[in-house]
Amino acid sequence: MNTLDKLRPLAAIAEERERWREQGRTVALANGVFDLLHVGHVRYLEGAKALADILVVAVNSDASTRAYKGPGRPHIPEAERAELVAALACTDRVVVFDEANVRAIIRALKPDVHVKGTDYTPDSIPEGDEVRAYGGRTAVAGDPKDHSTTELARRLGREGTK
């Protein structure tokens, strides 16, 4: 599948989700900003993919990134960040979202597993209650939080918050 074909609106992915369910395929949802894509992001997404047949990645929009990370972020525009994430072999679909969290995406897709990075535990994932309400589960994936966009930007001489 072409990288750009992986980029879909939530409604289209929700329709696909129904077909995947009928086929008995499991779905993992991962989310994040993915600004200045680095090896920590790749390891997180590859780990998330290992937990299900299909990996849907929700990428924070520019506006939600600024609200979450501060006015100096993102460094890379949302369309480019989404395309980079879509280009990864482990990623099956990508959706950009404006909200502060992925609760609406969880409600629409009802992923079998919602996956966050290792800065969480399965019990500390903020949207965990939403996932457990329909019988889904939460998980963590990736390596220890030894990589960060903030640190990478600092090393490159760029300023940014968080």
Side-chain angles (χ1 to χ4, degrees):
M1 174 176 280
N2 178 309
T3 296
L4 294 178
D5 290 339
K6 293 181 183 182
L7 305 171
R8 304 272 170 89
L10 181 57
I13 297 173
E15 286 180 21
E16 286 185 293
R17 170 61 169 131
E18 290 307 312
R19 286 192 296 281
W20 297 329
R21 184 177 282 118
E22 291 167 5
Q23 297 166 356
R25 299 171 84 187
T26 57
V27 173
L29 172 67
N31 67 283
V33 174
F34 305 104
D35 201 8
L36 300 180
L37 194 65
H38 56 69
V39 70
H41 294 135
V42 172
R43 292 172 182 167
Y44 162 51
L45 295 176
E46 287 178 338
K49 173 64 176 195
L51 298 172
D53 300 314
I54 304 290
L55 176 60
V56 176
V57 182
V59 175
N60 290 76
S61 70
D62 291 346
S64 68
T65 298
R66 276 189 296 279
Y68 176 53
K69 298 283 189 179
R73 299 282 298 275
H75 301 296
I76 308 296
E78 66 190 49
E80 293 177 23
R81 290 183 287 117
E83 186 174 342
L84 287 167
V85 169
L88 298 174
C90 60
T91 304
D92 295 294
R93 296 292 181 276
V94 175
V95 62
V96 175
F97 71 102
D98 282 317
E99 297 78 19
N101 60 54
V102 291
R103 287 183 184 276
I105 296 171
I106 290 169
R107 286 184 200 115
L109 298 182
K110 293 186 175 46
D112 299 284
V113 59
H114 176 47
V115 187
K116 296 289 255 181
T118 57
D119 44 340
Y120 292 91
T121 66
D123 293 331
S124 71
I125 293 174
E127 303 88 357
D129 60 330
E130 194 79 48
V131 176
R132 289 186 292 276
Y134 62 80
R137 68 185 179 94
T138 57
V140 296
D143 60 357
K145 196 77 171 168
D146 294 335
H147 309 92
S148 81
T149 295
T150 301
E151 176 58 21
L152 181 57
R154 187 192 64 71
R155 287 193 341 236
L156 294 171
R158 297 195 59 182
E159 294 299 319
T161 59
K162 278 193 178 174

